[in-house]
Amino acid sequence: MRLEEQSAVVRDAVPAEYAEFVASVTELGGTTFLMLLLAVLFWCVDRRRSALVISYAVAGLALLLSLKAVFGLPRPSADAMLLPLEGEHEGYGFPSGHAFAATVVYGGLVSAFDRARDGRALAAAGALVVLVSLSRVALGVHYLGDVIVGVALGIGFLLAMNRLTRGEPTIGFAIALGLSIPAVVLVNGTSDVLLGLGGSIGGLLGSQRLPALPALRSRLEGAVLAGLGSGFVVLIKTVEPVVATVEPLLAVLYAMLLGGIFLAPVAVGRLEVAALESQRT
């Protein structure tokens, strides 16, 4: 089922000197990169559509962690790894989280931004999903069957969320919260499961403020938002190891992360107003 022999063929096809490049490709399906990408799109492009895909990502994370715990299938042996990667050999291997997340996020962006009939958008999203999926096999942290099932589950999950949310991010985060509760029970206190729980709470509260958020007024404001917002995300990631041993605090930190992403336009808008008022006086 997991296509071990075919996976070995993929691993053997990648020379060792390309290991670092493959490791960088795999980050395109990682939690940190995808969340930062969606945050920048939220700040600078379209808030409601981006918030909807963020809700898909958080809900999908909770669901996938539950599925991994239920199946309980290990990763390939450490000997299969193309290069040593911290934490990549821990946890369960089926289905692939990176393949699933890449499908949900990149496919979700195509869907949310009404580009499903755009061949170039579909091709770009598909290429990213394939590259991320194959990079997981080449690195030796998943079997080929793991990523195929991850992609298939991602497509099914995306279709279900499109139907259930009806384009409303708040509904997406409510679903995420419902999925994160069994994940907390099934998975023993990892940072990812607490990201699902805290992120769904922060997103649920923050998404209710979407109609009141000020519209993006200029490219300069977008650049300021992206700069300050990215700094906020980095700050949260810096604080994360400090509170990681206290699970409730880590969940609160992740709730602050999502809430901060949604409320950053308010903070920047107030800074602009204060700057204008100081110029007039």
Side-chain angles (χ1 to χ4, degrees), residues 131-199:
L131 286 172
V132 169
S133 299
L134 289 179
S135 74
R136 304 304 286 169
V137 181
L139 287 172
V141 294
H142 282 294
Y143 294 114
L144 190 58
D146 301 345
V147 299
I148 292 174
V149 173
V151 171
L153 284 173
I155 293 172
F157 178 78
L158 183 57
L159 293 174
M161 290 296 286
N162 282 343
R163 180 175 294 273
L164 292 172
T165 61
R166 302 187 299 277
E168 289 294 331
T170 301
I171 297 176
F173 284 110
I175 294 172
L177 181 58
L179 291 172
S180 67
I181 294 173
V184 170
V185 175
L186 290 169
V187 183
N188 187 20
T190 67
S191 60
D192 281 343
V193 76
L194 294 174
L195 172 59
L197 177 62

Side-chain angles (χ1 to χ4, degrees), residues 13 16 32 38 48 78-79 90 96 115-116 121 145 153 163 166 169 182 191 196-197 210 216 220 245 256 259 278 280:
T32 300
L38 292 174
R48 177 166 293 278
D79 295 338
E90 301 173 358
S96 167
R115 303 293 295 277
L153 284 173
R163 180 175 294 273
R166 302 187 299 277
S191 60
L197 177 62
L210 284 176
L216 187 67
L220 177 61
T245 56
M256 292 172 58
S278 65
R280 292 171 182 172

Side-chain angles (χ1 to χ4, degrees), residues 3-14 80 137 142-144:
L3 305 177
E4 290 91 340
E5 293 182 2
Q6 293 84 349
S7 303
V9 173
V10 174
R11 291 196 302 269
D12 294 341
V14 179
V137 181
H142 282 294
Y143 294 114
L144 190 58

